Each structure stands twice: as C-alpha cells, then as structure tokens.
Amino acid sequence: MEKIKSFCINHDKLQKGFYVSRIDGDVITYDIRMVVPNRGPYLDNAGLHTFEHLFATYVRSSSYSDRIVYVGPMGCRTGFYYLTRDTMTKQEALDLFRETLDFMIGYHGPVPGAEAPRECGNWLNHDLEECREYAKDMKEVLKDWTPEMMVYPE
C-alpha cells in the first residue's frame, strides 16, 4: 500500500503549531499540533474529548459554519485535524481557531453534546478544566502565528 501523506511528515522535527497538512480540491486540511510528537505527555482522552466537543460546536455555530468540513482529534493524541473549504482563507481559519480557544478558556457550563447518553458515545468521559488548560497552552503557542508559518518544518 502507498504510505499516506500524513505519515510522510517528519514527526521528529514537528513542533506545536498550526500547519497546512494538505489541499484536496476545495478542502484544506489543517494540522493543529498541540503536543510535540513522540515526546509526551500526550493529550489525555477526557480533556481531548471535551476540546473536540467545544471546538466542533463553536466553529459549526460560527458565521463560517458552511465552510467547516470536519474537526476531529488525531489518534496519536497530539492534536486535531481541522478541515475547511478553500473559500475560507488561512488567516480566517487561524482567527476562528483563536476565537475558539478564547471561547474554551472562558466556557463554564455543560459540555455541548454530552449532557445525556443519547448525545455522545462516551458522554461521561469529559474534563472541562483540562480542556481549558489545553486551550490556554495553544493560545500562547499561536499568539504570533501567521499563515506564512503554516508550513511543515523540512
């Protein structure tokens, strides 16, 4: 089998950040790397799960909702994939993610989509405080990030 592109990235050089992973037709895949690969500690499942719920809810409720294709965690627990239509600029995608981080940091309430078993397949596995800590860390990582920095290290 052919090795998929995400396995061809040199994970030994990859740092925390916001990268363009690939462009397929009108879909841009962003790699939001929240942990340095292969160095740990990795994102804990409960905090990652809450981050996913708040991230997806916020961006799909934004004025860009029709341009959001997918938000989901990486199986390696080092970050998230964020897929948008190319009608959303890289700067807009980054700005929306920064707004999402601010939303998470200030959020105090029930986790959307996790208030009852019928809403989520693992509805009790959430940690809002941990989610907030992940958001604070990424806000600091991305404070000076620009679209020009969205390239993987060579």
Side-chain angles (χ1 to χ4, degrees):
M1 285 188 281
E2 187 176 328
K3 192 178 285 190
I4 63 173
K5 288 186 181 188
S6 62
F7 296 155
C8 296
I9 303 306
N10 187 342
H11 286 73
D12 291 334
K13 293 185 178 183
L14 195 54
Q15 299 297 310
K16 293 180 182 182
F18 191 103
Y19 305 96
V20 172
S21 174
R22 55 187 296 153
I23 299 173
D24 299 288
D26 71 336
V27 176
I28 300 173
T29 300
Y30 295 97
D31 173 337
I32 300 172
R33 200 58 66 147
M34 298 169 63
V35 172
V36 176
N38 299 312
R39 297 213 181 93
Y42 301 98
L43 299 173
D44 181 70
N45 196 56
L48 169 128
H49 192 194
T50 303
F51 196 100
E52 175 194 17
H53 277 239
L54 292 177
F55 186 5
T57 298
Y58 189 84
V59 298
R60 289 180 179 146
S61 299
S62 75
S63 61
Y64 295 101
S65 63
D66 62 335
R67 301 180 209 179
I68 305 302
V69 176
Y70 173 76
V71 168
M74 296 176 180
C76 59
R77 297 184 5 242
T78 61
F80 280 79
Y81 291 113
Y82 173 32
L83 283 69
T84 68
R85 298 275 176 216
D86 65 1
T87 55
M88 186 174 186
T89 68
K90 292 174 185 171
Q91 187 64 58
E92 289 170 327
L94 178 59
D95 289 345
L96 181 59
F97 184 64
R98 285 182 174 133
E99 287 175 24
T100 304
L101 295 173
D102 287 335
F103 165 73
M104 290 177 188
I105 291 166
Y107 186 77
H108 298 279
V111 176
E115 295 181 60
R118 69 178 180 277
E119 296 178 337
C120 176
N122 197 359
W123 76 292
L124 294 176
N125 185 240
H126 285 277
D127 188 330
L128 184 56
E129 289 304 317
E130 194 167 49
C131 167
R132 276 199 209 100
E133 291 304 314
Y134 295 154
K136 288 175 188 174
D137 182 63
M138 280 310 292
K139 183 175 180 173
E140 182 64 25
V141 169
L142 299 178
K143 71 179 179 186
D144 298 319
W145 209 266
T146 65
E148 293 75 31
M149 299 167 74
M150 292 182 184
V151 295
Y152 285 126
E154 296 283 326

